Amino acid sequence: MAVRLLKEVNGAPDAQIGTHLRRAYLNELTLDFDCTDKYIQGTILLKYPPSKLGTGQSILKIVLQAHATDQSATAAATINTFIFGKLVEMCTDTIHQGDSVIFVGFTVDKSPTAEKDGRHRCQLELSEEVGTMIYVYGKSSSVEGVAEQITESRSTAVRQKYTYTPLNQLKSGSIVNVYGVVKFFKPPYRTKGTDYCSTVTLVDPSGGKLTCMLFSGSPDTLPKIFKVGDIVRFHRLKIQEFNKEVQGVTSPGFSTLTFDGILGASLTPRTTSKRYCFTDEDKKMVDMLRNWAVTSSVVSEPTIQLLSVQPMQYFDLTCQLVAKADVDGASVLLKVWDGTKCSYPSWRVFVEGSALEGDEAFIHKLCNFTVDILVYDNHTLETKCLKPGMFLRIYNLHAKCGLRTPADVQCLEFYLHGGNSYGRGIRVLPDESYDVTELKKRLDSVDLQQYQDLEGISLLEWDNTLTGPLSQDKVCLNVLDRCQQESATVVTSHHHLNSVPLSTIVKEKAPQKYRIRAKMKSYEPQKLYQSIKLYCPRCHALQDIPSDEDLETALKKSMDGRHSTDFHNSSWYWTASWNTEPPDHREIVIRFVKREEIQENSGKTLILIERVNLVELRRLSEKFGGIIPVKSCDQLSLGDLCIPFFIQGRHWHYGCKNCSILQNVNHIPSLNQEELLEPSAIAGVLGIQPLQYAFLMKFTLEDESAVLEAYLWDEAEKFLRMPASDVIADHALQEKLQTLMRMLSPPGRNIEDRPWLECCIKSYCIEEGGNRKVCYQVFDTIIAEDDC
């Protein structure tokens, strides 16, 4: 029985528990807590009615309270506990509120309700599959022999037999145990929330294929997969349907073992817990999958050595870290070697010697074998924990064509670009792994002195041609210089796709994604200021920026009607007014919002302006820190939303007429002093949904096969490398935008003389006049300009 009734002796039931088990206290529990040979003791504070998950699995929730004398009683003294499967039926009538219990065999997971209920940030999960034993103590029985019972129960749990489902027999809604060979994976990466995610695609001899999306609060609890071809075992994997295909996700009690896929490698698994069941049947399964993967050639291993790297290649590299350095705040330099010498000269990143973390003598000794890798974006965080001497696997590393040597030999530059597409990332390999063992053999066999004597001088001279004459701000360290200069634009993702002719794209059904190489025949609008629109992120409405004529008309309309003098002064503003010259002869009213301190600088003053024309509004915007156009009739209120609701110098902020619910201007005093000149705060207190500035352009692209029109829309700022909100307010950026477009589509030149554009294009369908229309959009592409 997994649930046993035992009796308390002198209020201390745990006194008789065997010495091989150690009591775990609630304040010790973390997501990576080792539950092996541990038990949890406490009192049932709450017991909820049993229920069922969507999969039909039974579940029972209880709240366990630590005893008042426990180490954990000072903070988070209660923890949510979930019981699954057959244990629910056993516990329903056996355990009760107020009972003292001991749990042996449990797992720890993140509690999603910790902030709401104030309980422990982790939760306990109990099930027969993890070998749970629950001991319930009453007041009248003896606990002698409890240690023997617990020991026996754990031995029984280890001998539990599991059933594994072939991948071609998986059904949505089931919770299964599976074995598989890794065909693709992404190392754990942080999601937009607080969790980490790892994507794994498995295959097996049944011909089935399964993609798993695995989430956890800690990367250490996700599968320790190091390369394609590894063998994994997943227990308690939930199967669900996504896009008409089955998909695996984690469920309570999920656990994993990972084995190296190399024939003859150790059968010691990489696991998220030291407590697992591994029988002779499991050994046979791993051996069978290793042999199957080799003989069926289902796995293509992208890991290669530096000796074999070719220009423009993406590959996985197993290497040792020699040194590292922060370069420019946006990238990190890694100096690595793998015991082979790159066939091409490699680019050296210029950094001060004092910035390098690593042994100076060792760095110099390996100078002919190391390559410099620049790591960008999210991967820079992964490098913070890296130390020289560690063994790494770097995934989706890019060998880019760089400068040519004086002897006209191609030089390679190595980059780990941002994002996690194609499994891009870095993992530290344990010293005992098969690949590290093989790498150490290769490193130990290298005769460093031989290469230093024969080639060191000439190579260092070439290195100096790359690093010596260039100041650090001229070295290719920014995004632009990472890109290949063979075309005027470069793609930032989907490098695995081959370029296709435009004729192929126009013939295929949407939606699809493509990579193309074409030239720009023309673009619209030719008047580039018309390419900047106002966009509502809530209702997705898109509109033109009001013209000067539209603004002038709206301002004149706001002057119509009765003008009240009842609102000239208030506790939160003071008023000044004057009359314009005839024939206009109108009263202009300015209300100065009071601040806690007197502002000598008008550039920090917020004013409410009334009865002005466009010329006067622009002059005032140059003088004051912020302007809110208002009108006064029966009450002081905002003007028409055709007019900006807030003006800050050259930045004019508009609101959405559809989504805004205007509030009384008298709410402005609720803002603190720092918020009085903050556009988002002004919008919030006035009930306005702000509009965003956005680019919208249409490119006509042409290659030898066809012509295609594609929009540049939601990734336009990324493509052009400038925000629309800045372009509308900055004449220098407007001129730069004009220069960029002339570079992409030089006026007066034949199509043959125009630059090539390498782009990612996606097709999609829209409804237009009751008919479906296929449209195309540029994405994951940026301009590669030299002077950015």
Side-chain angles (χ1 to χ4, degrees):
M1 285 291 290
V3 180
R4 300 193 179 189
L5 293 173
L6 298 174
K7 296 179 182 178
E8 199 169 43
V9 174
N10 299 325
D14 59 312
Q16 300 297 321
I17 292 181
T19 56
H20 69 291
L21 293 174
R22 184 180 73 81
R23 182 174 180 180
Y25 294 92
L26 297 193
N27 63 347
E28 299 179 85
L29 298 183
T30 60
L31 291 175
D32 56 356
F33 181 75
D34 182 6
C35 304
T36 307
D37 294 331
K38 309 291 193 315
Y39 70 91
I40 291 283
Q41 180 181 345
T43 301
I44 297 177
L45 179 66
L46 294 172
K47 177 186 174 186
Y48 294 83
S51 59
K52 289 186 180 292
L53 299 174
T55 61
Q57 186 183 29
S58 298
I59 182 173
L60 174 65
K61 177 182 177 181
I62 62 175
V63 178
L64 188 70
Q65 183 179 40
H67 291 166
T69 57
D70 284 357
Q71 298 176 16
S72 60
T74 56
T78 58
I79 187 168
N80 291 324
T81 303
F82 293 91
I83 304 173
F84 297 94
K86 296 179 181 179
L87 277 180
V88 174
E89 183 179 349
M90 299 179 190
C91 293
T92 301
D93 299 321
T94 307
I95 61 175
H96 306 280
Q97 192 167 316
D99 282 349
S100 294
V101 292
I102 283 181
F103 300 145
V104 180
F106 58 89
T107 58
V108 177
D109 203 352
K110 181 181 178 182
S111 173
T113 61
E115 292 186 4
K116 184 183 298 184
D117 56 33
R119 297 178 185 134
H120 201 288
R121 62 190 182 94
C122 297
Q123 65 187 30
L124 299 177
E125 296 178 354
L126 316 176
S127 68
E128 279 197 324
E129 291 179 319
V130 296
T132 297
M133 289 295 300
I134 302 176
Y135 296 92
V136 186
Y137 290 89
K139 292 287 185 182
S140 58
S141 63
S142 170
V143 294
E144 292 184 8
V146 67
E148 180 181 349
Q149 294 169 356
I150 293 176
T151 304
E152 179 183 351
S153 68
R154 287 184 57 75
S155 299
T156 303
V158 172
R159 293 193 299 267
Q160 182 174 356
K161 183 176 178 61
Y162 292 92
T163 301
Y164 297 94
T165 306
L167 299 184
N168 67 343
Q169 297 179 18
L170 300 175
K171 296 182 179 179
S172 179
S174 61
I175 295 180
V176 298
N177 307 315
V178 298
Y179 265 102
V181 180
V182 176
K183 188 173 181 63
F184 171 80
F185 76 102
K186 290 183 181 181
Y189 60 91
R190 186 180 289 277
T191 64
K192 293 182 179 179
T194 58
D195 282 350
Y196 287 82
C197 177
S198 180
T199 303
V200 185
T201 299
L202 304 180
V203 292
D204 74 354
S206 71
K209 179 181 177 182
L210 176 67
T211 297
C212 303
M213 296 293 293
L214 309 176
F215 294 88
S216 177
S218 169
D220 296 331
T221 60
L222 291 169
K224 298 182 183 298
I225 300 171
F226 293 148
K227 64 179 180 181
V228 171
D230 279 354
I231 312 296
V232 297
R233 187 189 81 178
F234 292 160
H235 278 183
R236 293 168 289 282
L237 182 71
K238 180 180 177 180
I239 304 301
Q240 61 185 22
E241 186 173 331
F242 180 74
N243 285 342
K244 298 183 179 180
E245 293 184 356
V246 292
Q247 180 186 71
V249 296
T250 49
S251 71
F254 173 80
S255 65
T256 171
L257 300 181
T258 307
F259 303 86
D260 199 299
I262 301 295
L263 286 173
S266 170
L267 286 171
T268 301
R270 303 188 290 268
T271 177
T272 54
S273 173
K274 294 181 180 179
R275 184 174 181 275
Y276 58 87
C277 172
F278 189 65
T279 65
D280 290 340
E281 293 298 318
D282 290 291
K283 295 177 182 178
K284 293 178 181 178
M285 177 67 79
V286 173
D287 286 337
M288 183 274 291
L289 289 174
R290 284 174 171 174
N291 282 283
W292 173 76
V294 171
T295 56
S296 59
S297 301
V298 296
V299 174
S300 175
E301 175 58 75
T303 301
I304 63 175
Q305 298 175 4
L306 290 173
L307 176 67
S308 307
V309 174
Q310 297 298 313
M312 303 310 298
Q313 190 171 16
Y314 286 84
F315 62 100
D316 297 349
L317 177 67
T318 302
C319 58
Q320 185 182 33
L321 179 63
V322 177
K324 72 172 186 176
D326 289 328
V327 178
D328 57 358
S331 60
V332 173
L333 164 67
L334 301 182
K335 284 184 175 288
V336 304
W337 76 311
D338 72 349
T340 68
K341 194 170 184 298
C342 188
S343 300
Y344 294 81
S346 63
W347 177 52
R348 302 298 186 190
V349 178
F350 175 77
V351 292
E352 297 292 342
S354 58
L356 277 174
E357 179 184 341
D359 182 85
E360 184 177 352
F362 195 52
I363 295 171
H364 178 73
K365 188 176 182 180
L366 296 178
C367 64
N368 290 318
F369 284 88
T370 56
V371 296
D372 288 2
I373 300 172
L374 279 179
V375 177
Y376 287 91
D377 302 335
N378 55 303
H379 305 300
T380 60
L381 297 176
E382 301 172 27
T383 64
K384 292 185 181 300
C385 64
L386 301 183
K387 300 295 181 185
M390 285 182 169
F391 296 97
L392 311 176
R393 178 166 280 121
I394 305 176
Y395 303 96
N396 200 238
L397 187 60
H398 184 195
K400 172 189 167 242
C401 297
L403 302 173
R404 304 188 76 87
T405 69
D408 199 32
V409 178
Q410 182 68 66
C411 173
L412 292 187
E413 301 172 6
F414 294 91
Y415 299 102
L416 183 65
H417 300 296
N420 51 67
S421 299
Y422 316 111
R424 193 174 300 136
I426 304 174
R427 293 210 79 162
V428 178
L429 300 180
D431 287 353
E432 64 274 11
S433 72
Y434 178 86
D435 288 311
V436 170
T437 301
E438 295 299 307
L439 176 59
K440 286 180 178 179
K441 293 178 183 178
R442 188 163 67 247
L443 300 183
D444 291 341
S445 66
V446 176
D447 186 352
L448 299 176
Q449 189 61 43
Q450 175 188 1
Y451 282 94
Q452 285 181 327
D453 291 342
L454 295 178
E455 302 179 44
I457 296 176
S458 60
L459 182 58
L460 286 174
E461 287 176 350
W462 160 237
D463 288 343
N464 288 335
T465 67
L466 295 177
T467 61
L470 298 178
S471 62
Q472 189 156 345
D473 61 344
K474 295 288 184 67
V475 179
C476 303
L477 297 178
N478 54 36
V479 181
L480 291 169
D481 294 318
R482 282 186 273 164
C483 304
Q484 50 184 329
Q485 299 299 317
E486 298 174 355
S487 70
T489 61
V490 292
V491 299
T492 60
S493 187
H494 303 285
H495 302 282
H496 68 293
L497 295 178
N498 293 322
S499 295
V500 299
L502 297 182
S503 58
T504 300
I505 299 177
V506 298
K507 293 176 183 177
E508 293 188 350
K509 295 181 179 180
Q512 300 284 348
K513 292 182 178 180
Y514 308 91
R515 184 177 174 183
I516 68 161
R517 187 172 172 85
K519 297 187 177 185
M520 186 180 295
K521 186 176 182 180
S522 64
Y523 62 87
E524 295 178 13
Q526 285 292 307
K527 296 179 179 178
L528 289 173
Y529 69 87
Q530 296 177 346
S531 68
I532 302 178
K533 309 292 184 182
L534 291 173
Y535 171 71
C536 178
R538 180 175 295 179
C539 68
H540 307 297
L542 194 68
Q543 67 185 63
D544 291 328
I545 298 173
S547 65
D548 286 358
E549 292 77 13
D550 294 334
L551 288 173
E552 192 68 74
T553 300
L555 287 169
K556 286 183 178 179
K557 186 177 179 180
S558 68
M559 300 179 199
D560 295 339
R562 184 174 63 86
H563 163 55
S564 175
T565 59
D566 296 337
F567 311 104
H568 264 34
N569 289 294
S570 171
S571 60
W572 58 278
Y573 64 76
W574 62 274
T575 304
S577 64
W578 67 92
N579 291 321
T580 62
E581 296 290 333
D584 196 10
H585 198 72
R586 70 181 186 281
E587 182 185 27
I588 295 177
V589 182
I590 298 181
R591 296 171 176 85
F592 297 84
V593 177
K594 297 177 182 179
R595 297 179 67 102
E596 292 177 355
E597 70 280 3
I598 297 176
Q599 293 294 327
E600 297 181 359
N601 182 2
S602 61
K604 296 184 178 180
T605 301
L606 173 65
I607 64 172
L608 311 182
I609 190 73
E610 184 179 5
R611 301 176 66 80
V612 295
N613 61 31
L614 185 57
V615 173
E616 293 161 346
L617 187 59
R618 283 185 170 141
R619 288 176 180 172
L620 290 169
S621 69
E622 295 172 1
K623 183 176 181 61
F624 293 97
I627 297 177
I628 300 177
V630 296
K631 61 183 179 180
S632 61
C633 188
D634 297 326
Q635 63 178 2
L636 192 63
S637 60
L638 284 173
D640 193 318
L641 286 182
C642 291
I643 305 170
F645 70 88
F646 184 62
I647 299 171
Q648 202 168 33
R650 292 179 177 270
H651 294 276
W652 292 39
H653 302 272
Y654 292 85
C656 179
K657 294 182 178 180
N658 301 325
C659 302
S660 299
I661 304 175
L662 299 184
Q663 303 297 311
N664 197 302
V665 174
N666 290 321
H667 289 158
I668 289 178
S670 64
L671 297 173
N672 60 44
Q673 298 297 301
E674 290 74 26
E675 293 175 328
L676 283 176
L677 295 177
E678 179 58 43
S680 60
I682 296 287
V685 78
L686 296 180
I688 293 173
Q689 170 60 52
L691 295 175
Q692 300 174 354
Y693 288 97
F695 290 105
L696 176 61
M697 307 174 85
K698 184 170 72 173
F699 296 165
T700 301
L701 304 174
E702 181 178 343
D703 66 6
E704 297 83 358
S705 66
V707 176
L708 180 143
E709 292 183 344
Y711 290 96
L712 182 65
W713 163 231
D714 55 359
E715 292 191 20
E717 292 188 346
K718 173 183 172 183
F719 178 93
L720 297 168
R721 301 180 180 279
M722 59 182 77
S725 58
D726 288 348
V727 173
I728 199 69
D730 190 329
H731 291 302
L733 286 179
Q734 293 167 16
E735 292 177 1
K736 182 175 182 179
L737 176 62
Q738 189 76 42
T739 301
L740 287 178
M741 296 311 299
R742 287 176 177 173
M743 182 264 294
L744 298 179
S745 180
R749 288 193 184 182
N750 295 327
I751 192 71
E752 295 80 11
D753 298 326
R754 298 190 178 193
W756 285 103
L757 309 182
E758 187 175 12
C759 304
C760 287
I761 299 289
K762 59 183 176 183
S763 60
Y764 59 98
C765 291
I766 62 171
E767 293 288 338
E768 187 174 85
N771 299 318
R772 288 174 63 85
K773 178 182 177 181
V774 178
C775 295
Y776 304 92
Q777 186 172 329
V778 178
F779 75 107
D780 280 351
T781 307
I782 57 176
I783 288 179
E785 52 172 319
D786 294 330
D787 58 346
C788 183

